[in-house]
Amino acid sequence: MESLSDTPWDVVIEGTGLQQSLLALALSRSNKKVLHVDQNEYYGSSEAAFSLQDVDEWVEKVNTFDTKSFRNAAIWKSPTEAGKLGVSRAYTLTLSPQIIYTKSKLLSQLVSSKVYKQLEFQAVGNWWIYDVSSVAALKRLPNGREDIFEDASIDNRSKRSLMKFLKFVVEYQNHGEIWEAVAENSFPAFLTSHFKLPESLQTVLVALTLSLDSPDDTPVGYALPRIQRHLSSIGLFGPGFGAVLPKWGGGAEIAQVACRAGAVGGGVYVLGTGIKSSQTNGEKTEVVLSNSETIVTKHLAHDPDNQRKPDTKAVSKVVAIVSSPFSTLFKSSVEGSPLAAVSFIVFPLRPSASKARLIRSTLWHTQAKRANVRQVNEQSLVSLDLAFHDEALEEVETKWNAIVESADEQKPFMQFEERTGMTDEDDDNENGY
Amino acid sequence: MASDESLPTLKILMIGPSGAGKSALLIRYCDDQFDSESSTATIGVDFKVKKLSVHGKAYRLNLLDTAGQERFRTLSNSYYRGAHGVILVYDISNRESFLAMERWFEEAESNAMPGAVMYLVGSKMDKSSGRTVKTEEGIELAERHGCQFCEVSSKTRDNVRKPFVEIVDAIVKDPKLLNASSRRSGTVSVAGGSSGDSGCAC
């Protein structure tokens, strides 16, 4: 096996999370010699997805070594139910579940780069809210205007206010005079002062933002684009859903497929190998890998996971394998909509508990079996968002732009021809092999 | 020769250590070309498409090469998804490549879908003077993993069709495996208005 140091690399990319993998793919198709390394033995960095066995190993690793992205990982198996679990690889537990709104540029770029052909997508279905005002019950969020009109629990005056808000939010950019001055202010207060929406409906609208902060700490300027995205995504690719999730582990699956496409474009992949140190002298950067090999490259793209400040926001997550299929939660509410693979349940904070954290739970419909595995972790990441944010793609495009200098290498970002070799037919009439 | 999108599509993977002759076999079978100088791994396509008729019925084969990701053993789980068959290739003149096969079987068996057909190939049988792996050893290894086996030479064309015809034959005998690729119910199309989205299930 020839050694890595024999090649003069154009780019060394560290980490195989979604962003880094898309960057590697884009650069490999711009005639750059790409070396893509990851200190982990698996693809996906902090977006990785694991089988049950992999999860055991991961938990041990998080608790033994100081990883920048995760801490306090734990796993719990029900003593009575764990024996009923299926085989380890029948499960795919993802560290960073993220839905992708149908409006997201990520989907259009997966299509233009032909990467989507190796992926399967499932629909995100119902959104529920844990209704604290009545007897503990889950209430399905309205899926459109008709739903709102038919909802007997909303009085007519509130319905009119809600309609007025929805009309505003789909074109909020054109009405800067209404919200720009209060963009930093609390979103629920804005709904009260500008639209006279009752608290119960404010809770619903905050739920749609997927904000990880308490309602009062969720600013107007954050909420409006997210609610607009939610509403304008519904129905784009079919009735009854506005977001999708790649099958087999979300972002980790896209990362893997992008890495393979990058390898087809000539990129070289090494796992279990990180970057120990690097030193830039003029146009060349010397990189020492964790296996002590020294390589030379023109550009180095560090893993964003390793660049985070220690004081960034942390989120606790639980991934549970449950024994019920929860069919009611996934039941289609719109005729002709595909079977949903994801449902959201939002547990709103009581307004009085303003400093406590809003807790969200995502239910994963994959392979519900009679057992429990619990895994808790605290993660400090920019990509904590439960919905993929197009900003992540813009960062990739900016990095790509900075590395690709000449115009002939700079075709439109992430637009590639399909590379399939179509060949002659093979008939079994021929004799012999 | 144009691909007929309505044909049943079979996804078949090539795996095995670097330099075993996977790409050479694929290129000889698909394009009837052989380049003795070429030793680099990648053939630079996502997959090759070949139409093959077995017992009078036509199939569309999507043949995937490792794209060099076998070099540092970084093939991903997603490479194996939905594969109906896996062709494992070693070099009969390189004993190390044969000894590595146990690990490749292990990787394939743990990642491919249950029931996927494996097929063992000893390549470069033209190099008889440099042979370090006996034919019997190949047969024995294949038997141990319950799969078929043959030796091929991409240089002389000997047997190059055999692995493909026989693995397809084995795949289509198993209706459960054949139907496994049409399990796409519950998935949604993200290609919007763009055409040509119906075909590939790999």
Side-chain angles (χ1 to χ4, degrees):
Chain A
M1 196 181 297
E2 76 264 51
S3 109
L4 294 171
S5 51
D6 296 341
T7 308
W9 301 97
D10 289 321
V11 196
V12 173
I13 298 174
E14 178 195 22
T16 55
L18 182 54
Q19 279 188 308
Q20 299 296 82
S21 301
L22 292 173
L23 179 64
L25 168 59
L27 288 168
S28 79
R29 297 289 163 101
S30 295
N31 301 318
K32 294 293 171 197
K33 196 79 195 127
V34 177
L35 173 65
H36 198 171
V37 300
D38 194 316
Q39 61 184 355
N40 299 312
E41 294 287 350
Y42 49 82
Y43 284 99
S45 295
S46 50
E47 283 139 7
F50 297 128
S51 70
L52 292 184
Q53 198 184 332
D54 296 337
V55 166
D56 284 333
E57 288 165 22
W58 179 81
V59 167
E60 203 184 311
K61 201 185 97 183
V62 169
N63 295 330
T64 317
F65 304 100
D66 176 33
T67 64
K68 288 222 166 58
S69 304
F70 298 94
R71 60 177 189 267
N72 300 343
I75 190 158
W76 176 82
K77 291 183 189 178
S78 157
T80 54
E81 303 290 317
K84 296 168 188 163
L85 283 165
V87 293
S88 161
R89 50 185 279 266
Y91 304 88
T92 309
L93 309 187
T94 177
L95 296 179
S96 305
Q98 263 192 342
I99 62 165
I100 307 167
Y101 276 104
T102 54
K103 268 261 164 109
S104 170
K105 268 194 202 158
L106 176 61
L107 292 180
S108 51
Q109 294 192 354
L110 291 175
V111 171
S112 69
S113 63
K114 308 292 187 286
V115 166
Y116 80 104
K117 294 205 168 194
Q118 317 294 327
L119 294 164
E120 291 178 276
F121 292 91
Q122 295 175 304
V124 175
N126 297 321
W127 292 55
W128 303 84
I129 197 155
Y130 182 74
D131 190 357
V132 282
S133 62
S134 62
V135 208
L138 293 181
K139 197 173 164 222
R140 193 169 59 77
L141 296 193
N143 213 329
R145 278 160 197 262
E146 294 77 11
D147 266 13
I148 295 171
F149 278 122
E150 284 165 20
D151 193 333
S153 70
I154 312 176
D155 66 64
N156 282 336
R157 216 173 119 193
S158 302
K159 275 181 192 170
R160 277 196 299 277
S161 303
L162 184 57
M163 285 305 177
K164 196 176 144 206
F165 172 75
L166 293 179
K167 206 175 149 207
F168 154 74
V169 76
V170 293
E171 44 174 17
Y172 75 94
Q173 291 101 325
N174 302 335
H175 298 287
E177 77 283 357
I178 298 180
W179 64 275
E180 269 171 7
V182 292
E184 300 298 315
N185 296 8
S186 144
F187 181 55
F190 170 76
L191 292 174
T192 306
S193 61
H194 287 66
F195 294 92
K196 302 193 171 51
L197 279 169
E199 206 184 288
S200 60
L201 290 177
Q202 290 176 14
T203 310
V204 168
L205 291 170
V206 171
L208 294 181
T209 67
L210 292 175
S211 166
L212 294 167
D213 292 311
S214 75
D216 289 338
D217 291 334
T218 299
V220 174
Y222 173 88
L224 295 180
R226 296 174 71 97
I227 294 174
Q228 184 195 50
R229 174 179 65 177
H230 181 90
L231 296 173
S232 62
S233 289
I234 293 172
L236 213 57
F237 289 155
F241 69 98
V244 295
L245 186 86
K247 202 172 167 181
W248 314 109
E253 188 72 0
I254 301 179
Q256 289 190 20
V257 168
C259 286
R260 166 161 169 91
V264 168
V268 172
Y269 282 81
V270 186
L271 298 178
T273 302
I275 289 176
K276 212 189 271 174
S277 64
S278 64
Q279 197 178 9
T280 305
N281 297 312
E283 299 222 317
K284 296 221 180 308
T285 299
E286 250 187 30
V287 179
V288 183
L289 301 176
S290 59
N291 62 9
S292 296
E293 205 169 349
T294 302
I295 53 172
V296 176
T297 179
K298 285 187 203 150
H299 303 273
L300 172 62
H302 278 292
D303 191 342
D305 279 2
N306 292 340
Q307 310 264 299
R308 301 222 155 85
K309 296 177 195 86
D311 59 347
T312 42
K313 196 155 60 175
V315 169
S316 300
K317 294 183 183 178
V318 176
V319 178
I321 297 175
V322 293
S323 57
S324 163
F326 289 120
S327 343
T328 327
L329 294 180
F330 294 94
K331 208 166 93 190
S332 164
S333 57
V334 176
E335 207 184 313
S337 63
L339 181 69
V342 179
S343 279
F344 270 93
I345 303 175
V346 182
F347 294 87
L349 272 186
R350 285 166 188 279
S352 54
S354 64
K355 279 298 148 195
R357 203 181 281 154
L358 189 66
I359 299 165
R360 290 235 160 67
S361 163
T362 314
L363 265 173
W364 298 83
H365 190 220
T366 43
Q367 329 274 325
K369 286 278 154 65
R370 298 181 178 282
N372 281 296
V373 176
R374 197 181 58 167
Q375 164 208 331
V376 185
N377 61 66
E378 286 180 48
Q379 193 184 15
S380 58
L381 271 180
V382 174
S383 60
L384 290 174
D385 204 331
L386 292 171
F388 179 83
H389 201 294
D390 282 3
E391 211 175 88
L393 271 184
E394 283 153 27
E395 284 173 27
V396 175
E397 188 168 354
T398 306
K399 281 187 194 166
W400 172 79
N401 253 314
I403 293 171
V404 173
E405 312 97 355
S406 75
D408 60 311
E409 290 169 343
Q410 204 158 11
K411 295 166 203 136
F413 181 60
M414 291 291 275
Q415 286 189 26
F416 317 125
E417 290 305 308
E418 191 172 359
R419 298 187 173 197
T420 53
M422 192 71 91
T423 57
D424 290 336
E425 195 171 328
D426 182 3
D427 287 319
D428 58 345
N429 310 339
E430 291 170 38
N431 289 326
Y433 292 122
Chain B
M1 67 148 281
S3 95
D4 186 347
E5 299 276 334
S6 64
L7 290 180
T9 299
L10 304 181
K11 179 177 174 180
I12 296 173
L13 312 177
M14 314 286 293
I15 62 169
S18 294
K22 301 177 295 294
S23 300
L25 176 59
L26 200 54
I27 289 166
R28 174 59 96 186
Y29 175 62
C30 292
D31 307 322
D32 196 21
Q33 283 170 13
F34 183 76
D35 181 1
S36 58
E37 300 298 310
S38 166
S39 61
T40 48
T42 166
I43 58 170
V45 297
D46 293 316
F47 54 90
K48 288 186 115 23
V49 180
K50 181 101 177 164
K51 207 170 123 188
L52 171 66
S53 298
V54 174
H55 305 310
K57 192 161 166 36
Y59 298 92
R60 177 185 140 117
L61 309 189
N62 285 352
L63 300 163
L64 279 78
D65 202 357
T66 50
Q69 286 187 310
E70 85 288 1
R71 247 178 83 192
F72 299 99
R73 297 204 60 113
T74 54
L75 285 171
S76 60
N77 305 336
S78 69
Y79 179 64
Y80 289 93
R81 285 207 216 293
H84 300 88
V86 182
I87 296 178
L88 301 98
V89 184
Y90 69 89
D91 171 359
I92 65 144
S93 66
N94 179 341
R95 184 133 195 103
E96 241 175 87
S97 77
F98 177 73
L99 294 174
M101 292 324 282
E102 206 60 72
R103 278 182 64 198
W104 284 104
F105 267 112
E106 202 179 297
E107 176 168 323
E109 282 159 5
S110 67
N111 282 297
M113 63 179 156
V117 179
M118 311 281 159
Y119 194 107
L120 183 64
V121 169
S123 73
K124 309 188 190 178
M125 68 186 279
D126 51 279
K127 290 189 174 176
S128 52
S129 60
R131 180 188 279 277
T132 55
V133 185
K134 288 187 214 134
T135 307
E136 295 70 38
E137 291 178 287
I139 295 173
E140 195 268 331
L141 178 63
E143 270 172 6
R144 199 137 38 82
H145 289 275
C147 72
Q148 286 177 282
F149 166 75
C150 76
E151 289 185 349
V152 305
S153 168
S154 304
K155 191 175 177 181
T156 64
R157 289 199 186 84
D158 278 313
N159 276 349
V160 289
R161 287 187 70 237
K162 192 176 157 89
F164 299 96
V165 173
E166 290 188 346
I167 197 169
V168 169
D169 201 28
I171 291 166
V172 302
K173 272 186 189 142
D174 183 353
K176 233 171 46 200
L177 182 58
L178 204 54
N179 290 333
S181 61
S182 54
R183 79 205 124 66
R184 306 189 72 183
S185 60
T187 65
V188 297
S189 165
V190 298
S194 93
S195 57
D197 180 38
S198 54
C200 175
C202 56

